[in-house]
């Protein structure tokens, strides 16, 4: 194992940044094509690698991963049409874990929610007759209820994981 804690923190931050660069490149490729995806990785690696703060372990080097991972997972779930309960559970879980490190992940989550709401409004407006709109609204309400269940379950699981990691593995003293 690594005995020097500072070195371990630097390595952990570096791994986070590498994963974030990869996810950013793949997301850019999916959204804009191969050329933009590769350019995003090259420019990101250049700018982050040339920064003197790269080797200083602080919350930004750990927090940079979570908003990018959130957008990456959203695109991944949309691309492969993953069930919305699983999608929202995972997105909320990543948001909660990211929030415990750096609260800026909430902006990425809010953007995803706004995109989804715009899609729902567009789908409801696209229905021609009243009966179709009424059915679409009922389905939307039912999906929203299931979505809320996924979000609540994910918050409970992630908050339990965060509180468990903060407590650590301490021996329990059962003596009276």
């Amino acid at each position: 194992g690594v005995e020097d804690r500072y070195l371990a923190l630097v390595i952990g931050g570096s791994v986070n940044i590498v994963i974030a660069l990869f996810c950013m490149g793949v997301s850019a490729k999916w959204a804009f094509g191969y050329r933009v995806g590769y350019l995003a990785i090259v420019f990101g690696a250049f700018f982050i690698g040339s920064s003197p703060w790269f080797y200083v372990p602080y919350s930004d080097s750990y927090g940079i991963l979570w908003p990018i991972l959130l957008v990456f997972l959203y695109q991944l779930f949309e691309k492969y049409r993953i069930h919305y309960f699983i999608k929202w559970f995972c997105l909320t879980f990543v948001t909660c874990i990211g929030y415990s490190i750096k609260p800026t992940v909430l902006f990425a989550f809010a953007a995803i929610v706004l995109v989804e709401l715009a899609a729902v409004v567009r789908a409801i407006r696209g229905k021609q007759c009243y009966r179709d709109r009424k059915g679409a609204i009922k389905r939307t309400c039912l999906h929203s209820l299931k979505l809320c269940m996924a979000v609540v379950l994910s918050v409970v699981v992630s908050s339990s994981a965060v509180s468990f990691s903060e407590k650590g593995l301490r021996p329990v003293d059962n003596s009276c």
Side-chain angles (χ1 to χ4, degrees):
V2 178
E3 304 248 346
D4 186 8
R5 290 183 183 177
Y6 184 80
L7 179 62
L9 290 173
V10 170
I11 290 170
S14 300
V15 168
N16 274 342
I17 289 173
V18 167
I19 294 170
L21 281 172
F22 173 76
C23 290
M24 179 189 65
V26 172
S27 293
K29 182 188 84 161
W30 285 341
F32 305 108
Y34 284 99
R35 187 173 293 160
V36 174
Y38 291 129
L39 285 175
I41 290 176
V42 168
F43 283 127
F46 174 74
F47 286 119
I48 291 175
S50 64
S51 171
W53 295 103
F54 180 72
Y55 299 106
V56 177
Y58 62 110
S59 64
D60 285 350
S61 60
Y62 301 105
I64 194 171
L65 172 65
W66 302 100
I68 295 170
L69 183 62
L70 192 67
V71 172
F72 171 78
L73 287 175
Y74 177 72
Q75 288 180 320
L76 180 75
F77 293 150
E78 288 296 308
K79 182 176 181 172
Y80 293 106
R81 299 186 184 266
I82 304 296
H83 191 270
Y84 68 91
F85 187 86
I86 296 170
K87 174 176 85 172
W88 285 104
F89 177 84
C90 292
L91 293 177
T92 307
F93 186 79
V94 167
T95 301
C96 290
I97 298 297
Y99 180 78
S100 68
I101 298 169
K102 197 95 170 156
T104 54
V105 72
L106 290 178
F107 294 113
F109 187 73
I112 290 170
V113 168
L114 288 175
V115 166
E116 287 289 314
L117 285 175
V120 166
V121 168
R122 187 171 6 137
I124 290 173
R125 282 190 178 169
K127 302 296 180 189
Q128 296 301 320
C129 68
Y130 175 75
R131 178 197 265 155
D132 290 342
R133 280 190 182 178
K134 189 176 176 183
I137 291 171
K138 282 183 182 178
R139 284 191 303 279
T140 301
C141 290
L142 183 61
H143 289 314
S144 298
L145 180 62
K146 291 177 184 177
L147 167 68
C148 290
M149 290 172 35
V151 167
V152 167
L153 180 64
S154 180
V155 168
V156 168
V157 169
S158 61
S159 64
S160 299
V162 168
S163 66
F164 180 73
S165 68
E166 287 173 354
K167 290 178 185 174
L169 297 173
R170 295 186 206 126
V172 178
D173 184 20
N174 292 331
S175 61
C176 294

PDB file of all heavy atoms in Angstrom, residues 108-135:
ATOM      1  N   ALA A 108     -25.601  20.514 -12.590  1.00  0.00           N
ATOM      2  CA  ALA A 108     -25.717  19.533 -13.674  1.00  0.00           C
ATOM      3  C   ALA A 108     -26.998  18.721 -13.520  1.00  0.00           C
ATOM      4  O   ALA A 108     -27.694  18.449 -14.499  1.00  0.00           O
ATOM      5  CB  ALA A 108     -24.500  18.609 -13.694  1.00  0.00           C
ATOM      6  N   PHE A 109     -27.340  18.356 -12.291  1.00  0.00           N
ATOM      7  CA  PHE A 109     -28.565  17.605 -12.055  1.00  0.00           C
ATOM      8  C   PHE A 109     -29.799  18.440 -12.411  1.00  0.00           C
ATOM      9  O   PHE A 109     -30.735  17.952 -13.040  1.00  0.00           O
ATOM     10  CB  PHE A 109     -28.629  17.142 -10.598  1.00  0.00           C
ATOM     11  CG  PHE A 109     -29.781  16.228 -10.296  1.00  0.00           C
ATOM     12  CD1 PHE A 109     -29.769  14.916 -10.737  1.00  0.00           C
ATOM     13  CD2 PHE A 109     -30.874  16.670  -9.575  1.00  0.00           C
ATOM     14  CE1 PHE A 109     -30.820  14.057 -10.468  1.00  0.00           C
ATOM     15  CE2 PHE A 109     -31.935  15.829  -9.295  1.00  0.00           C
ATOM     16  CZ  PHE A 109     -31.908  14.514  -9.751  1.00  0.00           C
ATOM     17  N   ALA A 110     -29.783  19.722 -12.026  1.00  0.00           N
ATOM     18  CA  ALA A 110     -30.901  20.614 -12.355  1.00  0.00           C
ATOM     19  C   ALA A 110     -31.042  20.770 -13.870  1.00  0.00           C
ATOM     20  O   ALA A 110     -32.162  20.811 -14.390  1.00  0.00           O
ATOM     21  CB  ALA A 110     -30.711  21.970 -11.687  1.00  0.00           C
ATOM     22  N   ALA A 111     -29.941  20.844 -14.581  1.00  0.00           N
ATOM     23  CA  ALA A 111     -30.000  20.957 -16.042  1.00  0.00           C
ATOM     24  C   ALA A 111     -30.637  19.714 -16.660  1.00  0.00           C
ATOM     25  O   ALA A 111     -31.457  19.812 -17.581  1.00  0.00           O
ATOM     26  CB  ALA A 111     -28.595  21.179 -16.605  1.00  0.00           C
ATOM     27  N   ILE A 112     -30.285  18.542 -16.152  1.00  0.00           N
ATOM     28  CA  ILE A 112     -30.869  17.298 -16.662  1.00  0.00           C
ATOM     29  C   ILE A 112     -32.368  17.260 -16.373  1.00  0.00           C
ATOM     30  O   ILE A 112     -33.172  16.888 -17.241  1.00  0.00           O
ATOM     31  CB  ILE A 112     -30.141  16.077 -16.065  1.00  0.00           C
ATOM     32  CG1 ILE A 112     -28.728  15.988 -16.646  1.00  0.00           C
ATOM     33  CG2 ILE A 112     -30.918  14.794 -16.304  1.00  0.00           C
ATOM     34  CD1 ILE A 112     -27.843  14.973 -15.967  1.00  0.00           C
ATOM     35  N   VAL A 113     -32.760  17.682 -15.183  1.00  0.00           N
ATOM     36  CA  VAL A 113     -34.185  17.702 -14.834  1.00  0.00           C
ATOM     37  C   VAL A 113     -34.939  18.667 -15.756  1.00  0.00           C
ATOM     38  O   VAL A 113     -36.035  18.355 -16.230  1.00  0.00           O
ATOM     39  CB  VAL A 113     -34.381  18.073 -13.346  1.00  0.00           C
ATOM     40  CG1 VAL A 113     -35.833  18.378 -13.031  1.00  0.00           C
ATOM     41  CG2 VAL A 113     -33.871  16.952 -12.455  1.00  0.00           C
ATOM     42  N   LEU A 114     -34.361  19.833 -16.036  1.00  0.00           N
ATOM     43  CA  LEU A 114     -35.016  20.795 -16.934  1.00  0.00           C
ATOM     44  C   LEU A 114     -35.151  20.245 -18.352  1.00  0.00           C
ATOM     45  O   LEU A 114     -36.178  20.450 -19.007  1.00  0.00           O
ATOM     46  CB  LEU A 114     -34.250  22.114 -16.940  1.00  0.00           C
ATOM     47  CG  LEU A 114     -34.375  22.949 -15.669  1.00  0.00           C
ATOM     48  CD1 LEU A 114     -33.478  24.173 -15.744  1.00  0.00           C
ATOM     49  CD2 LEU A 114     -35.819  23.345 -15.422  1.00  0.00           C
ATOM     50  N   VAL A 115     -34.140  19.538 -18.824  1.00  0.00           N
ATOM     51  CA  VAL A 115     -34.225  18.920 -20.150  1.00  0.00           C
ATOM     52  C   VAL A 115     -35.342  17.887 -20.182  1.00  0.00           C
ATOM     53  O   VAL A 115     -36.124  17.826 -21.138  1.00  0.00           O
ATOM     54  CB  VAL A 115     -32.861  18.289 -20.543  1.00  0.00           C
ATOM     55  CG1 VAL A 115     -32.995  17.361 -21.728  1.00  0.00           C
ATOM     56  CG2 VAL A 115     -31.851  19.373 -20.831  1.00  0.00           C
ATOM     57  N   GLU A 116     -35.440  17.088 -19.143  1.00  0.00           N
ATOM     58  CA  GLU A 116     -36.495  16.072 -19.077  1.00  0.00           C
ATOM     59  C   GLU A 116     -37.884  16.716 -18.992  1.00  0.00           C
ATOM     60  O   GLU A 116     -38.829  16.245 -19.626  1.00  0.00           O
ATOM     61  CB  GLU A 116     -36.269  15.149 -17.881  1.00  0.00           C
ATOM     62  CG  GLU A 116     -35.118  14.194 -18.077  1.00  0.00           C
ATOM     63  CD  GLU A 116     -35.415  13.107 -19.090  1.00  0.00           C
ATOM     64  OE1 GLU A 116     -36.500  12.507 -19.033  1.00  0.00           O
ATOM     65  OE2 GLU A 116     -34.558  12.873 -19.944  1.00  0.00           O
ATOM     66  N   LEU A 117     -38.013  17.793 -18.213  1.00  0.00           N
ATOM     67  CA  LEU A 117     -39.299  18.477 -18.118  1.00  0.00           C
ATOM     68  C   LEU A 117     -39.706  19.088 -19.457  1.00  0.00           C
ATOM     69  O   LEU A 117     -40.877  19.036 -19.838  1.00  0.00           O
ATOM     70  CB  LEU A 117     -39.243  19.560 -17.039  1.00  0.00           C
ATOM     71  CG  LEU A 117     -39.285  19.073 -15.598  1.00  0.00           C
ATOM     72  CD1 LEU A 117     -39.094  20.238 -14.627  1.00  0.00           C
ATOM     73  CD2 LEU A 117     -40.582  18.355 -15.299  1.00  0.00           C
ATOM     74  N   ALA A 118     -38.749  19.651 -20.168  1.00  0.00           N
ATOM     75  CA  ALA A 118     -39.040  20.218 -21.488  1.00  0.00           C
ATOM     76  C   ALA A 118     -39.506  19.123 -22.446  1.00  0.00           C
ATOM     77  O   ALA A 118     -40.420  19.348 -23.244  1.00  0.00           O
ATOM     78  CB  ALA A 118     -37.807  20.929 -22.037  1.00  0.00           C
ATOM     79  N   ALA A 119     -38.915  17.954 -22.360  1.00  0.00           N
ATOM     80  CA  ALA A 119     -39.330  16.848 -23.220  1.00  0.00           C
ATOM     81  C   ALA A 119     -40.749  16.390 -22.885  1.00  0.00           C
ATOM     82  O   ALA A 119     -41.536  16.081 -23.781  1.00  0.00           O
ATOM     83  CB  ALA A 119     -38.350  15.678 -23.084  1.00  0.00           C
ATOM     84  N   VAL A 120     -41.094  16.382 -21.613  1.00  0.00           N
ATOM     85  CA  VAL A 120     -42.442  15.987 -21.207  1.00  0.00           C
ATOM     86  C   VAL A 120     -43.468  17.009 -21.700  1.00  0.00           C
ATOM     87  O   VAL A 120     -44.518  16.648 -22.243  1.00  0.00           O
ATOM     88  CB  VAL A 120     -42.524  15.816 -19.666  1.00  0.00           C
ATOM     89  CG1 VAL A 120     -43.962  15.738 -19.184  1.00  0.00           C
ATOM     90  CG2 VAL A 120     -41.753  14.597 -19.233  1.00  0.00           C
ATOM     91  N   VAL A 121     -43.168  18.283 -21.532  1.00  0.00           N
ATOM     92  CA  VAL A 121     -44.084  19.328 -21.997  1.00  0.00           C
ATOM     93  C   VAL A 121     -44.260  19.246 -23.507  1.00  0.00           C
ATOM     94  O   VAL A 121     -45.378  19.356 -24.027  1.00  0.00           O
ATOM     95  CB  VAL A 121     -43.573  20.720 -21.566  1.00  0.00           C
ATOM     96  CG1 VAL A 121     -44.337  21.833 -22.268  1.00  0.00           C
ATOM     97  CG2 VAL A 121     -43.677  20.870 -20.058  1.00  0.00           C
ATOM     98  N   ARG A 122     -43.185  19.033 -24.226  1.00  0.00           N
ATOM     99  CA  ARG A 122     -43.273  18.914 -25.688  1.00  0.00           C
ATOM    100  C   ARG A 122     -44.110  17.697 -26.085  1.00  0.00           C
ATOM    101  O   ARG A 122     -44.909  17.759 -27.027  1.00  0.00           O
ATOM    102  CB  ARG A 122     -41.882  18.813 -26.293  1.00  0.00           C
ATOM    103  CG  ARG A 122     -41.907  18.864 -27.802  1.00  0.00           C
ATOM    104  CD  ARG A 122     -40.550  18.978 -28.444  1.00  0.00           C
ATOM    105  NE  ARG A 122     -39.455  18.888 -27.515  1.00  0.00           N
ATOM    106  CZ  ARG A 122     -38.347  18.192 -27.737  1.00  0.00           C
ATOM    107  NH1 ARG A 122     -38.200  17.530 -28.854  1.00  0.00           N
ATOM    108  NH2 ARG A 122     -37.379  18.164 -26.861  1.00  0.00           N
ATOM    109  N   ALA A 123     -43.960  16.594 -25.360  1.00  0.00           N
ATOM    110  CA  ALA A 123     -44.738  15.392 -25.678  1.00  0.00           C
ATOM    111  C   ALA A 123     -46.223  15.610 -25.406  1.00  0.00           C
ATOM    112  O   ALA A 123     -47.069  15.178 -26.187  1.00  0.00           O
ATOM    113  CB  ALA A 123     -44.225  14.206 -24.869  1.00  0.00           C
ATOM    114  N   ILE A 124     -46.537  16.297 -24.318  1.00  0.00           N
ATOM    115  CA  ILE A 124     -47.946  16.553 -23.999  1.00  0.00           C
ATOM    116  C   ILE A 124     -48.550  17.528 -25.011  1.00  0.00           C
ATOM    117  O   ILE A 124     -49.672  17.340 -25.475  1.00  0.00           O
ATOM    118  CB  ILE A 124     -48.093  17.078 -22.555  1.00  0.00           C
ATOM    119  CG1 ILE A 124     -47.777  15.950 -21.572  1.00  0.00           C
ATOM    120  CG2 ILE A 124     -49.495  17.619 -22.309  1.00  0.00           C
ATOM    121  CD1 ILE A 124     -47.731  16.385 -20.130  1.00  0.00           C
ATOM    122  N   ARG A 125     -47.813  18.554 -25.389  1.00  0.00           N
ATOM    123  CA  ARG A 125     -48.316  19.517 -26.373  1.00  0.00           C
ATOM    124  C   ARG A 125     -48.491  18.892 -27.751  1.00  0.00           C
ATOM    125  O   ARG A 125     -49.304  19.342 -28.537  1.00  0.00           O
ATOM    126  CB  ARG A 125     -47.371  20.704 -26.491  1.00  0.00           C
ATOM    127  CG  ARG A 125     -47.512  21.679 -25.371  1.00  0.00           C
ATOM    128  CD  ARG A 125     -46.730  22.915 -25.684  1.00  0.00           C
ATOM    129  NE  ARG A 125     -46.890  23.883 -24.626  1.00  0.00           N
ATOM    130  CZ  ARG A 125     -46.177  24.955 -24.508  1.00  0.00           C
ATOM    131  NH1 ARG A 125     -45.237  25.222 -25.404  1.00  0.00           N
ATOM    132  NH2 ARG A 125     -46.379  25.792 -23.523  1.00  0.00           N
ATOM    133  N   GLY A 126     -47.722  17.861 -28.035  1.00  0.00           N
ATOM    134  CA  GLY A 126     -47.797  17.221 -29.339  1.00  0.00           C
ATOM    135  C   GLY A 126     -49.047  16.376 -29.538  1.00  0.00           C
ATOM    136  O   GLY A 126     -49.377  15.996 -30.655  1.00  0.00           O
ATOM    137  N   LYS A 127     -49.751  16.063 -28.459  1.00  0.00           N
ATOM    138  CA  LYS A 127     -50.971  15.264 -28.573  1.00  0.00           C
ATOM    139  C   LYS A 127     -52.075  16.130 -29.179  1.00  0.00           C
ATOM    140  O   LYS A 127     -52.276  17.270 -28.783  1.00  0.00           O
ATOM    141  CB  LYS A 127     -51.412  14.737 -27.201  1.00  0.00           C
ATOM    142  CG  LYS A 127     -50.362  13.902 -26.501  1.00  0.00           C
ATOM    143  CD  LYS A 127     -50.056  12.643 -27.266  1.00  0.00           C
ATOM    144  CE  LYS A 127     -49.003  11.824 -26.537  1.00  0.00           C
ATOM    145  NZ  LYS A 127     -48.526  10.731 -27.291  1.00  0.00           N
ATOM    146  N   GLN A 128     -52.813  15.567 -30.115  1.00  0.00           N
ATOM    147  CA  GLN A 128     -53.799  16.337 -30.861  1.00  0.00           C
ATOM    148  C   GLN A 128     -55.140  16.464 -30.131  1.00  0.00           C
ATOM    149  O   GLN A 128     -55.712  17.531 -30.061  1.00  0.00           O
ATOM    150  CB  GLN A 128     -54.019  15.714 -32.246  1.00  0.00           C
ATOM    151  CG  GLN A 128     -52.787  15.750 -33.113  1.00  0.00           C
ATOM    152  CD  GLN A 128     -52.282  17.163 -33.342  1.00  0.00           C
ATOM    153  OE1 GLN A 128     -53.058  18.073 -33.539  1.00  0.00           O
ATOM    154  NE2 GLN A 128     -50.976  17.344 -33.293  1.00  0.00           N
ATOM    155  N   CYS A 129     -55.643  15.379 -29.600  1.00  0.00           N
ATOM    156  CA  CYS A 129     -56.970  15.460 -29.004  1.00  0.00           C
ATOM    157  C   CYS A 129     -56.877  15.459 -27.484  1.00  0.00           C
ATOM    158  O   CYS A 129     -55.856  15.127 -26.899  1.00  0.00           O
ATOM    159  CB  CYS A 129     -57.865  14.316 -29.497  1.00  0.00           C
ATOM    160  SG  CYS A 129     -57.357  12.711 -28.911  1.00  0.00           S
ATOM    161  N   TYR A 130     -57.977  15.832 -26.856  1.00  0.00           N
ATOM    162  CA  TYR A 130     -58.043  15.936 -25.405  1.00  0.00           C
ATOM    163  C   TYR A 130     -57.778  14.598 -24.730  1.00  0.00           C
ATOM    164  O   TYR A 130     -57.073  14.531 -23.732  1.00  0.00           O
ATOM    165  CB  TYR A 130     -59.415  16.483 -24.993  1.00  0.00           C
ATOM    166  CG  TYR A 130     -59.623  16.508 -23.503  1.00  0.00           C
ATOM    167  CD1 TYR A 130     -58.988  17.471 -22.729  1.00  0.00           C
ATOM    168  CD2 TYR A 130     -60.433  15.570 -22.871  1.00  0.00           C
ATOM    169  CE1 TYR A 130     -59.153  17.505 -21.355  1.00  0.00           C
ATOM    170  CE2 TYR A 130     -60.608  15.598 -21.505  1.00  0.00           C
ATOM    171  CZ  TYR A 130     -59.968  16.570 -20.751  1.00  0.00           C
ATOM    172  OH  TYR A 130     -60.135  16.592 -19.401  1.00  0.00           O
ATOM    173  N   ARG A 131     -58.327  13.531 -25.282  1.00  0.00           N
ATOM    174  CA  ARG A 131     -58.165  12.206 -24.687  1.00  0.00           C
ATOM    175  C   ARG A 131     -56.689  11.797 -24.670  1.00  0.00           C
ATOM    176  O   ARG A 131     -56.202  11.251 -23.681  1.00  0.00           O
ATOM    177  CB  ARG A 131     -58.982  11.180 -25.458  1.00  0.00           C
ATOM    178  CG  ARG A 131     -58.796   9.773 -24.893  1.00  0.00           C
ATOM    179  CD  ARG A 131     -59.254   8.717 -25.855  1.00  0.00           C
ATOM    180  NE  ARG A 131     -60.608   8.319 -25.586  1.00  0.00           N
ATOM    181  CZ  ARG A 131     -61.417   7.796 -26.501  1.00  0.00           C
ATOM    182  NH1 ARG A 131     -61.013   7.668 -27.731  1.00  0.00           N
ATOM    183  NH2 ARG A 131     -62.621   7.406 -26.186  1.00  0.00           N
ATOM    184  N   ASP A 132     -55.966  12.063 -25.755  1.00  0.00           N
ATOM    185  CA  ASP A 132     -54.542  11.738 -25.804  1.00  0.00           C
ATOM    186  C   ASP A 132     -53.762  12.566 -24.791  1.00  0.00           C
ATOM    187  O   ASP A 132     -52.851  12.068 -24.133  1.00  0.00           O
ATOM    188  CB  ASP A 132     -53.978  11.965 -27.204  1.00  0.00           C
ATOM    189  CG  ASP A 132     -54.481  10.945 -28.207  1.00  0.00           C
ATOM    190  OD1 ASP A 132     -54.976   9.883 -27.767  1.00  0.00           O
ATOM    191  OD2 ASP A 132     -54.385  11.207 -29.422  1.00  0.00           O
ATOM    192  N   ARG A 133     -54.105  13.842 -24.681  1.00  0.00           N
ATOM    193  CA  ARG A 133     -53.416  14.690 -23.701  1.00  0.00           C
ATOM    194  C   ARG A 133     -53.696  14.222 -22.284  1.00  0.00           C
ATOM    195  O   ARG A 133     -52.797  14.187 -21.449  1.00  0.00           O
ATOM    196  CB  ARG A 133     -53.862  16.142 -23.853  1.00  0.00           C
ATOM    197  CG  ARG A 133     -53.191  16.845 -24.965  1.00  0.00           C
ATOM    198  CD  ARG A 133     -53.473  18.306 -24.918  1.00  0.00           C
ATOM    199  NE  ARG A 133     -52.838  18.939 -26.063  1.00  0.00           N
ATOM    200  CZ  ARG A 133     -52.922  20.205 -26.340  1.00  0.00           C
ATOM    201  NH1 ARG A 133     -53.614  20.999 -25.572  1.00  0.00           N
ATOM    202  NH2 ARG A 133     -52.312  20.702 -27.388  1.00  0.00           N
ATOM    203  N   LYS A 134     -54.961  13.882 -22.024  1.00  0.00           N
ATOM    204  CA  LYS A 134     -55.322  13.414 -20.688  1.00  0.00           C
ATOM    205  C   LYS A 134     -54.562  12.133 -20.347  1.00  0.00           C
ATOM    206  O   LYS A 134     -54.038  11.978 -19.244  1.00  0.00           O
ATOM    207  CB  LYS A 134     -56.833  13.186 -20.618  1.00  0.00           C
ATOM    208  CG  LYS A 134     -57.345  12.904 -19.241  1.00  0.00           C
ATOM    209  CD  LYS A 134     -58.863  12.792 -19.250  1.00  0.00           C
ATOM    210  CE  LYS A 134     -59.371  12.408 -17.884  1.00  0.00           C
ATOM    211  NZ  LYS A 134     -60.816  12.231 -17.893  1.00  0.00           N
ATOM    212  N   GLY A 135     -54.453  11.204 -21.282  1.00  0.00           N
ATOM    213  CA  GLY A 135     -53.693   9.977 -21.064  1.00  0.00           C
ATOM    214  C   GLY A 135     -52.214  10.245 -20.863  1.00  0.00           C
ATOM    215  O   GLY A 135     -51.574   9.627 -20.017  1.00  0.00           O
TER     216      GLY A 135
END
